Amino acid sequence: MTDTHPDAGNDGPLVLGIETSCDETGVGIVRGRTLLADAVASSVDEHARFGGVVPEVASRAHLEAMVPTIERACETAGIRLHDVDAIAVTNGPGLAGALLVGVAAAKALAIGLGKPIYGVNHLASHVAVDQLEHGALPEPCLAMLVSGGHSSLLRVEDVTVGVEPLGSTIDDAAGEAFDKVARLLGLPFPGGPHIDRAAREGSSVYVDFPRGLSSRRDLERHRFDFSFSGLKTSVARWVEARERAGEPVPVADVAASFQEAVCDVLTRKAVDAASSLGIEDILIGGGVAANSRLRTMAEERAAAKGIRVRVPRPGLCTDNGAMVAALGAEMVARGRTPSSLDLPADSSLPVTSVLAG
């Protein structure tokens, strides 16, 4: 799939971004804050039969897709590789083998073209991509990143310098919980879109599933942290009890009730964090940001507190090269020092490390 925006002139650096942290090979090209090309080759179908991402399969798929995806992005953007001003690449966090493919490709391009390279943080890239749709980020803003591997609340003053973590997942991330509950309900992988679709036909109050880390005692110690493991277990026990009793499982109702519990916790904590810090803008990113209920609930709750919400369109929420290029372009525009050519692929890169040295 390739998405494009018209080129709004020649303002800003021309940057090619490479994203290979999981199962999507993404190559994006931006000029300043204008998206020229967003080419993605997904290997999700190859992982579906396993019910989750297999690292070795993902790495091999990246190797096969890298060159054709770069070529497709350049063709869409109407540029030649030597036209770019810089190369940006996700160097973490993510699957080690998958990251290595992207970092190696970026290094080869940087050396071959004689261009600077910027190794950038996957999570910070999810924040920066919103600039391609809604313009410069408010400073400061609160970013809520929700994906298969991460559920985080971050205070962002300058996305090119660093972000301040306020809270994170202490067990299963939101996207991971969506996948596991989808499997329980017999829905395909990845679970997020299928649960979202099924939930539209169900009742969100059919089952009162637990809201993790929301009791008074939990809020004292984990005010801005998340936990979805207990919720996932509660859904499993509820479904198993119905099956033991020989009763049908109302998939749409369970999906809606589960989704409501996840979105309730995410939005409540995000709005609480923004309000307590006096921040007037919340940005939502990551694959789960494509969830329709999460978007609606966040906007309603934030509006009640006088807080604005920014969410990129669904195609920019999932992993893509455009988000990496967007952060790279911001690095170039703000004069940040490029990374060295021996930059590593770091599977456990902390969110506080936005740019590799």
Side-chain angles (χ1 to χ4, degrees):
M1 180 183 71
T2 304
D3 297 320
T4 62
H5 279 180
D7 185 352
N10 295 317
D11 296 333
L14 182 66
V15 177
L16 181 145
I18 296 174
E19 156 61 28
T20 62
S21 66
C22 193
D23 60 340
E24 267 121 9
T25 307
V27 178
I29 299 173
V30 306
R31 188 184 296 280
R33 291 174 182 153
T34 300
L35 177 60
L36 304 183
D38 182 24
V40 178
S42 177
S43 61
V44 65
D45 291 342
E46 298 174 48
H47 303 283
R49 61 195 175 104
F50 300 105
V53 177
V54 180
E56 293 81 0
V57 173
S59 300
R60 190 177 305 113
H62 288 311
L63 280 169
E64 295 172 353
M66 183 59 65
V67 171
T69 308
I70 291 173
E71 291 175 342
R72 183 154 50 97
C74 289
E75 182 180 354
T76 301
I79 68 160
R80 292 170 295 182
L81 270 175
H82 69 255
D83 293 334
V84 303
D85 296 310
I87 307 294
V89 62
T90 298
N91 76 304
L95 301 174
L99 289 168
L100 279 169
V101 176
V103 170
K107 288 179 179 180
L109 288 173
I111 293 171
L113 299 170
K115 305 293 184 178
I117 185 171
Y118 292 82
V120 298
N121 190 293
H122 175 81
L123 300 179
S125 297
H126 272 303
V127 176
V129 73
D130 188 70
Q131 296 188 141
L132 301 179
E133 194 158 13
H134 300 122
L137 293 176
E139 295 180 347
C141 69
L142 180 96
M144 178 170 69
L145 301 184
V146 278
S147 66
H150 306 278
S151 297
S152 309
L153 289 177
L154 312 168
R155 184 182 185 278
V156 183
E157 188 74 46
D158 179 345
V159 73
T160 68
V161 173
V163 296
E164 177 189 351
L166 302 174
S168 61
T169 313
I170 62 175
D171 43 52
D172 287 359
E176 186 178 2
F178 269 94
D179 288 339
K180 291 179 178 178
V181 168
R183 194 178 310 142
L184 286 169
L185 297 177
L187 298 174
F189 173 86
H194 297 285
I195 285 183
D196 193 359
R197 196 173 299 117
R200 293 169 193 167
E201 307 299 324
S203 168
S204 63
V205 295
Y206 190 84
V207 186
D208 184 19
F209 287 125
R211 272 62 168 164
L213 297 185
S214 294
S215 70
R216 179 178 298 178
R217 184 175 179 181
D218 286 329
L219 291 174
E220 291 176 358
R221 296 176 297 168
H222 298 286
R223 183 177 179 183
F224 301 137
D225 291 323
F226 302 102
S227 170
F228 298 107
S229 180
L231 170 60
K232 173 204 65 183
T233 301
S234 180
V235 175
R237 287 175 176 169
W238 194 93
V239 169
E240 289 164 2
R242 293 282 292 215
E243 292 174 339
R244 280 198 305 271
E247 300 174 0
V249 175
V251 172
D253 293 324
V254 175
S257 299
F258 161 77
Q259 179 175 269
E260 192 75 5
V262 173
C263 296
D264 181 18
V265 172
L266 288 171
T267 57
R268 192 189 315 169
K269 294 203 173 200
V271 171
D272 179 28
S275 299
S276 67
L277 296 172
I279 294 176
E280 299 178 346
D281 295 271
I282 294 175
L283 185 152
I284 307 177
V288 181
N291 182 272
S292 60
R293 181 58 179 150
L294 178 63
R295 288 170 174 247
T296 299
M297 190 183 292
E299 289 169 358
E300 291 173 351
R301 288 183 167 176
K305 297 285 188 178
I307 297 170
R308 296 176 291 269
V309 173
R310 292 169 48 141
V311 192
R313 67 179 187 272
L316 293 179
C317 290
T318 52
D319 293 348
N320 59 80
M323 69 187 200
V324 179
L327 183 51
E330 197 67 18
M331 294 289 183
V332 176
R334 297 202 183 201
R336 305 303 179 217
T337 303
S339 304
S340 63
L341 280 170
D342 63 352
L343 73 102
D346 187 347
S347 62
S348 57
L349 186 71
V351 70
T352 50
S353 180
V354 172
L355 174 63

